[in-house]
Amino acid sequence: MADRPRVFVSRVLPGGDSPDSPIGRLRAATDLDLWDGGDPPPAEVLRERLAQADGVLTMLTERIDVALLDAAPHLRVVSNLAVGFDNIDVPACTERGVLVTNTPGVLDETTADMAFALLLAAARRLPEAERAIREGAWGQWHPTWMLGHQVTGATLGIVGPGRIASAVARRAQGFGMKVLYHGRREVPGFPGERATLPELLAASDFISVHVPLNAETAGMCNADFFAAMKQSAIFVNTARGPVVDQDALIEALRSGQIAGAALDVMTPEPLPADHPLLTAPHLVVAPHLGSATEETRARMAHLAVSGLLGVLAGDTPATVLNPEAAAIHRSAR
Ligand code: GLV
Ligand code: GLV
């Protein structure tokens, strides 16, 4: 057999290490360099480990930018263990003939479960209510204590009608909710009605964001966005932290401009325990757990490994984001 490709993997993958596990499959087919730290490899380590690598399997914590690509002359594939790929400079990869793959499809339902869990938790004030018990603040049953917001029959506004959003909308239908969506184009078959952003913000009791992070969406949930929401409405974000102007969100919660927010993503991640965001009222937070189930993370790891091994074998798997890069050959190779 010819030399096995060198592959750097930036974290221990879910699914164990039996021969048919994601790691087992990599061991069988590659010369595997596995970073087994709990934290991401520091930038210098990543650069050093990629100097000889043919492929890399990254997390959303690794930034793959021009400087790193230029220090990785043999690299042919970046496989991201996530559906989002804002951590990767895809055009720079394309220019250098590096294929980029991600993990679409396998995490939609799981992430939609999380968005709905957050929506319900914020609507019914569950974290706050649980804290009340633990802090001894639960008095006698009172008809006006700890009242939340009705989910059943309410209007859900979805911003960014992709696959995860569609799974959220189906859950909403089960709760008898009216679903509105806003996106650049009409999405045939989307379980909801298309609306302009101003219409959606004015009409929705819950707003859930599902846009990818890019130059167009960064900071799109800003002071104007929150000011256009109903005062009784709750904002949910399971997409990416930087789509929100977080200071504007804190202010909207403090001033009562909106009724609450539930976030699985924020800025920065990890969020320090003394961050001002956590002083905002009516806020539910989770530490970026959208796809975090045993089953889904194992599927993601298998898909990421298949994408990586497929490219190294000379194929262009369906998960490749920049198939045009396959036609570009790096002079150094
Ligand atoms: C997680 O945030 C992902 O993009 O898969
Ligand atoms: C509440 O517990 C009720 O019985 O209405």
Side-chain angles (χ1 to χ4, degrees), residues 7-330:
V7 167
F8 179 67
V9 176
S10 69
R11 225 78 96 248
V12 169
L13 299 179
D17 61 6
S18 67
D20 10 326
S21 70
I23 285 288
R25 292 170 59 208
L26 285 171
R27 279 197 209 290
T30 71
D31 179 359
L32 176 64
D33 179 8
L34 178 64
W35 177 260
D36 62 5
D39 286 333
E44 347 43 281
V45 172
L46 190 59
R47 196 162 48 242
E48 192 189 298
R49 301 302 251 293
L50 290 199
Q52 300 301 324
D54 301 295
V56 62
L57 197 154
T58 46
M59 311 295 125
L60 49 84
T61 43
E62 278 75 73
R63 295 217 69 78
I64 306 295
D65 55 16
V66 167
L68 188 68
L69 289 167
D70 286 345
H74 307 283
L75 199 64
R76 292 161 59 197
V77 55
V78 177
S79 180
N80 209 35
L81 187 79
V83 67
F85 48 87
D86 47 281
N87 57 310
I88 299 171
D89 185 339
V90 178
C93 287
T94 305
E95 277 169 29
R96 290 161 179 78
V98 176
L99 277 75
V100 181
T101 109
N102 66 339
T103 63
V106 295
L107 49 70
D108 301 338
E109 301 295 331
T110 308
T111 306
D113 284 348
M114 188 65 177
F116 227 83
L118 285 170
L119 184 155
L120 287 166
R124 302 305 298 271
R125 303 171 64 180
L126 281 183
E128 200 184 331
E130 173 166 345
R131 276 195 302 276
I133 298 183
R134 294 184 187 279
E135 290 167 4
W138 183 12
Q140 289 298 318
W141 193 96
H142 193 285
T144 66
W145 187 60
M146 203 60 87
L147 304 187
H149 296 265
Q150 188 78 6
V151 173
T152 296
T155 296
L156 171 65
I158 285 188
V159 181
R163 286 178 304 254
I164 295 171
S166 170
V168 171
R170 279 190 281 104
R171 282 156 181 72
Q173 289 180 324
F175 281 76
M177 298 176 90
K178 173 174 180 179
V179 179
L180 300 176
Y181 76 88
H182 172 70
R184 272 180 307 188
R185 44 189 96 74
E186 170 105 41
V187 182
F190 191 90
E193 263 173 56
R194 192 173 181 207
T196 64
L197 188 60
E199 283 165 358
L200 179 146
L201 295 175
S204 299
D205 303 301
F206 297 89
I207 289 176
S208 190
V209 178
H210 301 280
V211 292
L213 173 61
N214 54 42
E216 216 176 299
T217 60
M220 71 173 283
C221 304
N222 56 16
D224 292 342
F225 181 104
F226 297 120
M229 284 172 61
K230 290 189 193 178
Q231 276 195 318
S232 57
I234 289 175
F235 175 80
V236 181
N237 185 11
T238 52
R240 282 291 182 270
V243 304
V244 174
D245 173 344
Q246 207 164 260
D247 291 335
L249 174 61
I250 295 172
E251 182 51 30
L253 289 167
R254 283 207 184 122
S255 65
Q257 177 67 58
I258 66 172
L263 311 176
D264 188 43
V265 289
M266 56 211 78
T267 309
E269 294 179 16
L271 191 82
D274 60 357
H275 192 279
L277 176 65
L278 298 177
T279 63
H282 307 302
L283 174 71
V284 177
V285 280
H288 205 146
L289 297 177
S291 65
T293 67
E294 300 276 358
E295 296 85 347
T296 293
R297 286 286 166 81
R299 277 189 219 113
M300 288 167 68
H302 274 299
L303 191 58
V305 167
S306 297
L308 184 121
L309 294 180
V311 173
L312 291 176
D315 299 332
T316 305
T319 50
V320 168
L321 295 161
N322 57 346
E324 66 278 17
I328 297 168
H329 295 281
R330 301 185 77 171

